[in-house]
Amino acid sequence: MQKLNFPTYSFRFKSNENKISIFDCIRKKFIVLQPEEWVRQHCIHYLISEKGYPKSLINVEKELFVNGLKKRYDIVIFNPDGSIHLIVECKAPAITISQNTFDQIAQYNLTLKASFLMVTNGLNHYYCQMDFENERYNFLKDIPHYTK
């Protein structure tokens, strides 16, 4: 798999029927290794190792309904009170991050109401803080570290 713009992490892999899988420490199971999954796993490790978010507050690949349509988010980090702190949208490295990507995560956020958004293709990372009062987002250099 391609080298990404994240620190180096050690992952557990297994091979089954000519398919390589990577262990997801949040879902506690092996997931078929696709380019987007490679990015997602790096991002999960980044959030835990570099930003200090507890595994217990991280949720991966869950369904939600946006305007009556079934969607699936990549990564969500909850606050201890159950509100949502951060939504992460992961794309494969070959996918260019565009306005459409931000529109997708912003639509999810109409339902989820996260304080922060992160969009990454593993090579480029973009971070935003929501300004609900003015109905917009402000770009940041990074997302904040976990604080209790």
Side-chain angles (χ1 to χ4, degrees):
M1 279 281 154
Q2 180 175 354
K3 171 94 174 92
L4 301 178
N5 189 12
F6 281 107
T8 302
Y9 302 108
S10 58
F11 296 103
R12 287 174 44 203
F13 298 97
K14 78 174 186 181
S15 183
N16 190 4
E17 297 178 10
N18 295 329
K19 288 186 181 173
I20 297 174
S21 295
I22 187 168
F23 188 76
D24 183 321
C25 65
I26 302 300
R27 292 179 275 185
K28 295 182 173 54
K29 65 180 183 178
F30 282 91
I31 308 295
V32 174
L33 185 56
Q34 302 285 344
E36 184 177 314
E37 193 61 45
W38 184 236
V39 173
R40 185 171 18 255
Q41 292 307 313
H42 275 79
C43 193
I44 289 168
H45 283 262
Y46 171 77
L47 293 167
I48 294 167
S49 301
E50 316 308 318
K51 294 299 178 179
Y53 289 97
K55 288 181 189 179
S56 61
L57 296 178
I58 301 174
N59 208 311
V60 177
E61 285 253 296
K62 295 285 187 205
E63 286 183 351
L64 72 149
F65 287 91
V66 179
N67 298 327
L69 299 172
K70 196 186 309 187
K71 302 288 184 181
R72 184 176 286 274
Y73 61 70
D74 286 310
I75 303 168
V76 161
I77 297 183
F78 291 92
N79 290 308
D81 68 4
S83 63
I84 296 178
H85 179 71
L86 169 71
I87 306 172
V88 182
E89 179 63 28
C90 300
K91 298 293 184 191
I95 305 294
T96 302
I97 304 294
S98 66
Q99 185 62 47
N100 288 344
T101 314
F102 282 97
D103 292 346
Q104 178 184 358
I105 198 170
Q107 264 206 321
Y108 292 177
N109 207 32
L110 292 174
T111 302
L112 299 174
K113 305 276 190 256
S115 303
F116 296 91
L117 308 176
M118 176 180 174
V119 177
T120 181
N121 64 2
L123 304 174
N124 299 298
H125 319 297
Y126 299 94
Y127 313 96
C128 304
Q129 183 171 16
M130 294 304 300
D131 177 355
F132 290 108
E133 196 172 299
N134 296 306
E135 297 182 345
R136 61 189 196 136
Y137 44 82
N138 300 309
F139 284 93
L140 304 171
K141 291 189 187 313
D142 203 351
I143 54 170
H145 284 78
Y146 176 72
T147 54
K148 293 181 185 177

